[in-house]
């Protein structure tokens, strides 16, 4: 069935290591997004991509990087420069932005713990 | 601070009762609103959305009301069931048509349904 797949569900890393979170969608959506969710806070936008081979920084992009080489895939790399990387990371997608506003569809998240 | 907030952080109801979850927003330019449900350890699930040219929209067992005069949004769940227990949060789009990356999310209300 169609949806967004994030993997792995849980990820553990040592401080100082880069780590890449996977996000794949088969909804044929053009736009994809990465959010970070921390306890007691609303979702915060890290990066977004409205079309293949193009992406933009969100509100909290420092210490993160992304790529969008394929329509279906939008991996997020958490670099060692990110000061507080431990969080729940959510990937989302939506249909072509130019077609009007539409809801974001989310994956089930990756919980990253850095020690 | 965030322009989207919630009146109540927690709500406890009896099974079969109706639930009302509230959300206040402060940006009068917001033109699109979404309600999401998030169960523990999962990604947010789209419930219902509404555009600013409407004041009410109904789905299956859910109704969203928008009062632009007082900048208030509510989600009504009819005949609440144990499976409705989750965190509910609203999101507003302040960016106009085709700008999903400008969604602002509230912190959420925890709904607990008692059998």
């Amino acid at each position: 069935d169609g949806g967004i797949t994030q993997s792995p569900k849980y990820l553990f890393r040592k401080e100082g290591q880069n780590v890449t979170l996977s996000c794949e969608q088969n909804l044929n959506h053009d736009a994809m997004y990465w959010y970070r969710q921390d306890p007691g806070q609303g979702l915060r936008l890290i990066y977004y991509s409205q079309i293949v081979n193009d992406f933009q920084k969100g509100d909290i992009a420092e210490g993160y990087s992304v790529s969008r080489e394929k329509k279906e895939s939008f991996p997020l790399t958490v670099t060692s420069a990110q000061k507080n990387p431990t969080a729940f990371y959510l990937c989302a997608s939506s249909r072509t932005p130019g077609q009007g506003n539409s809801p974001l569809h989310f994956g089930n998240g990756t919980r990253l713990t850095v020690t | 601070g965030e322009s989207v907030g919630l009146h109540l952080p927690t709500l406890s109801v009896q099974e079969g009762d109706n639930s009302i979850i509230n959300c206040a927003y402060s940006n009068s330019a917001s033109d699109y609103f979404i309600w999401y449900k998030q169960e523990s350890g999962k990604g947010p699930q789209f419930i219902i959305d509404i555009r600013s040219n409407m004041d009410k929209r109904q789905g299956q067992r859910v109704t969203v009301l928008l009062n632009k005069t007082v900048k208030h949004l509510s989600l009504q769940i009819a005949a609440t069931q144990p499976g409705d227990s989750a965190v509910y949060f609203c999101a507003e789009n302040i960016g106009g048509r085709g700008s999903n990356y400008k969604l602002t999310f509230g912190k959420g209300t925890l709904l607990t349904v008692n059998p």
Side-chain angles (χ1 to χ4, degrees):
Chain A
D1 52 334
I4 300 176
T5 301
Q6 290 187 243
S7 62
K9 188 172 178 63
Y10 299 97
L11 192 53
F12 298 88
R13 279 293 181 272
K14 294 289 187 185
E15 195 173 314
Q17 293 179 333
N18 292 353
V19 60
T20 297
L21 282 59
S22 170
C23 179
E24 303 279 331
Q25 55 101 358
N26 60 4
L27 298 168
N28 199 33
H29 285 165
D30 284 306
M32 297 187 75
Y33 314 80
W34 274 105
Y35 286 89
R36 171 180 172 139
Q37 187 174 36
D38 295 285
Q41 296 194 38
L43 301 181
R44 292 184 290 167
L45 182 63
I46 303 172
Y47 266 99
Y48 65 96
S49 168
Q50 294 184 291
I51 198 167
V52 174
N53 292 321
D54 184 56
F55 49 83
Q56 305 295 330
K57 292 182 179 180
D59 300 319
I60 56 165
E62 185 176 350
Y64 300 98
S65 66
V66 294
S67 63
R68 187 83 188 279
E69 297 176 2
K70 297 188 301 183
K71 185 175 184 177
E72 303 80 14
S73 179
F74 191 40
L76 172 75
T77 297
V78 184
T79 75
S80 57
Q82 166 52 231
K83 291 180 172 47
N84 297 297
T86 295
F88 190 49
Y89 290 89
L90 288 161
C91 179
S93 70
S94 69
R95 68 174 193 219
T96 306
Q99 294 176 352
N101 290 322
S102 62
L104 271 59
H105 297 267
F106 287 88
N108 276 325
T110 291
R111 186 166 297 281
L112 173 64
T113 302
V114 177
T115 58
Chain B
E2 293 184 8
S3 65
V4 175
L6 293 166
H7 293 308
L8 296 173
T10 61
L11 179 63
S12 183
V13 301
Q14 290 298 122
E15 181 177 358
D17 287 351
N18 296 335
S19 302
I20 300 176
I21 301 171
N22 297 302
C23 182
Y25 66 96
S26 58
N27 194 323
S28 58
S30 296
D31 62 356
Y32 179 59
F33 304 87
I34 313 171
W35 279 102
Y36 285 96
K37 170 187 180 183
Q38 187 174 23
E39 297 175 83
S40 182
K42 295 186 177 181
Q45 177 186 355
F46 169 76
I47 301 173
I48 193 168
D49 58 0
I50 188 168
R51 303 188 191 284
S52 58
N53 60 353
M54 304 170 69
D55 53 18
K56 180 180 180 179
R57 192 168 187 215
Q58 289 185 292
Q60 187 176 12
R61 280 201 307 118
V62 295
T63 300
V64 55
L65 299 177
L66 176 62
N67 186 330
K68 294 181 286 293
T69 301
V70 295
K71 299 189 188 70
H72 185 266
L73 190 70
S74 69
L75 177 71
Q76 300 178 359
I77 304 174
T80 314
Q81 303 167 0
D84 294 327
S85 295
V87 173
Y88 291 80
F89 55 89
C90 61
E92 64 173 317
N93 189 319
I94 62 173
R97 183 181 174 88
S99 58
N100 280 343
Y101 55 90
K102 292 186 180 177
L103 281 174
T104 299
F105 293 85
K107 294 183 175 62
T109 292
L110 174 62
L111 174 66
T112 302
V113 182
N114 302 309

